[in-house]
Amino acid sequence: MKSATVATGRGTVWVLPALVLVVLVVGGGVFTAALQSLGLMPLVGEPALSFDAYTALGDDLWRSLALTLSLATVSTALAAMIGLATALSALSGSRAPLVAAGLTVTVPHLIGAAAMGLLLADSGLLPRILGSTDGSWPELVGGRWWIAVVVEYAWKESAFVAIVLAGTLATRVAAFDETAATLGAGRWARLRLVTLPLVRPALIASTAIAFAYTVGSYEVARILGRPYPEPLSIMAVRLFTSIDLAARPQAAAAAMVATTLTVVVAVVAVHFLRRSAIWR
Amino acid sequence: MTIRTRILPRASRGLLLAWFLVPLVPIVLWAASNRWSFPAALPQVWGVDGFRNVLAAGAVDAFVRSMGLALAVAAIATLLGACAAQALVRADVHFPAVVAGILFAPLALPPFAVALGLDVLVLRARIPSTVAVIMLLTVAAIPYTTYLMRAAFGAYDIGYEEEARTLGASTATILWKIRIPLLAPALSGAALLAFLVGWSDYVITLLIGGGRLITVPILVASLAAGTGNDAVVAALSLTAVLPPLVLVLLLSRLRRWRSR
């Protein structure tokens, strides 16, 4: 149908307000950060193209990138699995977990982080209930393995994934599923051949959004993480708010590395979405 | 008849329910405790001191500020998203794929990176920091509002409008009496998501607001940074979860009322 309509462009005026605002804010922000990171927009002195801001951070920059990537990958994978399980459970008649996920979605990440601290820290609710009062409680908050940070991201993002997938499943899958069942398809065959293919585009899109969100998140790792090594977001904000003005380009460099990471993930996600036949 | 596809074992329902609800338990307990020293499993003295201290910490002002911010973001992002989505669905836009790509781009970019770069421009252009925060959060919300409204316009039956037009209804009448009421569930869903973006934000308010715009999350973070504030942080957190929750409940009631 779409190809039959010739674009008159009359609608362009209606997209302009949103388009101009997004281009100004996102374009302006990323472009300025890129210029700053390359020494082309110094707060003091002459602009000169250089990669000093990137090299000055040295190995710390790559360590931060590796940490950011690991945190986002592990927590997004958990969120995808738990979110899918929640959506499937709603499809099979038990909607209570989905309703609980709806509650979790409304909780701001910062408050989620505070809650995880009260639950998982060595003086938190879990060690109290489990009677681990002799200091043997593992370092979940501020420890080597960033457990509390990963759990918080997985908690919030699994709720997001669950809501998105449940929306898709409710509208499209039920009818196909019934047809397949009528034709004699078993439970696992229906899951593998009907439900999962139908839910795939929504799963790709929601996990990609969750991944990008995790890379861009600041407050959770700030509250539940440890000082070193630091995720890219914390590195960038620390350098940005430093009183040393020379640190500004380095803050921009860390921000650009994080931006590159999320853009690569977005491109990969769009590539896989295009390959899903039922997309659109 | 719906066929129940039982794929997951029954126990998984309980596990999933616990996964989403257990993290909220300590907040509720801490908010209702006056004294809860380690290693007691339950508060020793119950009470509402936490809430009293929340009021003393300036929470009312922060709530008003956060509410204003979130409502502004919800109103602007829903309006812009609805206008853009309508044009995109009717396919009379030049380069629709590029336009949609740009409108969804904020999802794929770290907000702190955008805020950090924009800070210099905001200072040079002398844009008030509150206006800049609203602009940034609106941009962060536009992908969600555009997506929801695009789906809604896609399923929208233009027949009602055509019928009304044949009967002589004006454009304004059609907009207020037909289009907006029919799209009300989608509009309120989009507004809710945009509200959540504004209500939950921490890092953009921190970077662009420069510590002068004290919203609820900024207040939570500053209290959480201190020690021995667990009861206050919990009480404030609990209060901060309520407004979006009330909106979600109102929305689901609206949906149910509509589908009757």
Side-chain angles (χ1 to χ4, degrees):
Chain A
M1 282 305 280
K2 233 175 181 178
S3 56
T5 326
V6 179
T8 57
R10 240 170 13 107
T12 302
V13 68
W14 289 98
V15 300
L16 274 183
L19 199 63
V20 169
L21 188 64
V22 171
V23 168
L24 273 182
V25 167
V26 167
V30 173
F31 187 63
T32 312
L35 288 184
Q36 283 184 325
S37 75
L38 295 170
L40 295 172
M41 215 174 151
L43 291 176
V44 284
E46 288 295 304
L49 179 66
S50 83
F51 291 97
D52 289 356
Y54 292 88
T55 50
L57 291 169
D59 286 346
D60 278 354
L61 185 57
W62 306 118
R63 210 163 286 144
S64 289
L65 173 61
L67 175 64
T68 305
L69 191 58
S70 322
L71 289 177
T73 308
V74 175
S75 50
T76 308
L78 287 171
M81 287 187 282
I82 300 169
L84 182 61
T86 307
L88 289 178
S89 134
L91 190 69
S92 63
S94 40
R95 292 185 57 84
L98 187 64
V99 173
L103 175 65
T104 302
V105 160
T106 63
V107 178
H109 266 283
L110 181 75
I111 287 165
M116 287 297 172
L118 294 176
L119 182 73
L120 300 176
D122 51 8
S123 62
L125 185 64
L126 269 193
R128 287 170 193 250
I129 288 177
L130 300 175
S132 171
T133 54
D134 54 355
S136 63
W137 185 251
E139 238 185 334
L140 303 180
V141 173
R144 274 196 69 196
W145 298 103
W146 299 77
I147 305 284
V149 177
V150 168
V151 170
E152 202 283 341
Y153 286 144
W155 179 64
K156 271 286 290 175
E157 300 307 323
S158 61
F160 171 72
V161 172
I163 301 285
V164 174
L165 296 192
T168 317
L169 285 171
T171 52
R172 306 175 74 176
V173 174
F176 284 106
D177 206 40
E178 274 178 40
T179 313
T182 317
L183 295 173
R187 175 197 301 177
W188 286 104
R190 295 208 306 276
L191 175 68
R192 200 165 56 81
L193 300 172
V194 178
T195 311
L196 288 184
L198 281 171
V199 90
R200 220 173 79 107
L203 187 62
I204 293 172
S206 59
T207 48
I209 291 170
F211 185 96
Y213 188 92
T214 309
V215 171
S217 165
Y218 168 81
E219 57 268 36
V220 179
R222 186 83 181 73
I223 289 180
L224 299 173
R226 61 193 303 165
Y228 184 87
E230 50 190 0
L232 288 166
S233 58
I234 294 186
M235 178 185 245
V237 173
R238 175 176 60 77
L239 291 166
F240 180 77
T241 49
S242 143
I243 47 165
D244 179 13
L245 287 182
R248 282 287 179 101
Q250 296 173 18
M256 287 315 293
V257 172
T259 305
T260 311
L261 178 59
T262 55
V263 168
V264 167
V265 169
V267 169
V268 171
V270 169
H271 171 76
F272 279 109
L273 280 178
R274 286 249 165 93
R275 278 181 34 181
S276 303
I278 36 185
W279 171 241
R280 296 158 74 93
Chain B
M1 191 193 79
T2 37
I3 287 156
R4 305 239 150 140
T5 328
R6 194 166 303 287
I7 296 146
L8 303 159
R10 260 194 178 284
S12 69
R13 172 171 48 170
L15 282 177
L16 288 171
L17 206 54
W19 164 257
F20 288 118
L21 293 183
V22 166
L24 298 171
V25 172
I27 282 204
V28 176
L29 290 178
W30 267 109
S33 75
N34 282 1
R35 194 159 61 83
W36 190 8
S37 45
F38 194 73
L42 282 175
Q44 287 121 332
V45 182
W46 299 87
V48 291
D49 280 4
F51 290 95
R52 261 187 223 120
N53 292 331
V54 160
L55 289 178
V60 175
D61 286 351
F63 258 83
V64 171
R65 246 174 252 127
S66 270
M67 192 58 83
L69 192 68
L71 288 177
V73 171
I76 303 170
T78 307
L79 180 66
L80 297 189
C83 290
Q86 176 179 328
L88 282 171
V89 168
R90 297 203 175 155
D92 56 354
V93 176
H94 291 301
F95 312 110
V98 177
V99 169
I102 292 174
L103 292 181
F104 289 122
L107 285 179
L109 297 167
F112 76 87
V114 175
L116 191 147
L118 209 65
D119 189 59
V120 184
L121 299 183
V122 167
L123 287 176
R124 291 204 180 151
R126 295 220 171 82
I127 298 172
S129 59
T130 308
V131 174
V133 171
I134 292 176
M135 279 172 64
L136 259 135
L137 292 174
T138 301
V139 166
I142 279 179
Y144 297 109
T145 57
T146 308
Y147 176 80
L148 276 189
M149 292 315 297
R150 199 163 76 156
F153 278 114
Y156 182 70
D157 184 359
I158 198 84
Y160 293 105
E161 288 191 14
E162 280 165 358
E163 205 151 314
R165 209 180 299 274
T166 322
L167 295 170
S170 68
T171 311
T173 312
I174 289 173
L175 181 66
W176 288 106
K177 292 277 166 71
I178 295 173
R179 195 179 303 172
I180 290 180
L182 278 177
L183 290 169
L187 283 168
S188 51
L192 172 70
L193 282 184
F195 179 91
L196 279 176
V197 169
W199 184 258
S200 311
D201 172 71
Y202 176 68
V203 76
I204 290 176
T205 316
L206 180 77
L207 288 178
I208 302 285
R212 289 179 304 277
L213 189 64
I214 311 287
T215 58
V216 172
I218 299 274
L219 191 61
V220 173
S222 77
L223 288 172
T227 49
N229 284 339
D230 288 347
V232 195
V233 170
L236 186 56
S237 301
L238 199 60
T239 338
V241 173
L242 289 182
L245 199 61
V246 169
L247 289 177
V248 169
L249 292 177
L250 283 178
L251 183 64
S252 64
R253 287 197 63 164
L254 173 76
R255 286 250 164 85
R256 211 166 304 149
W257 180 76
R258 301 273 320 191
S259 63
R260 270 203 312 218

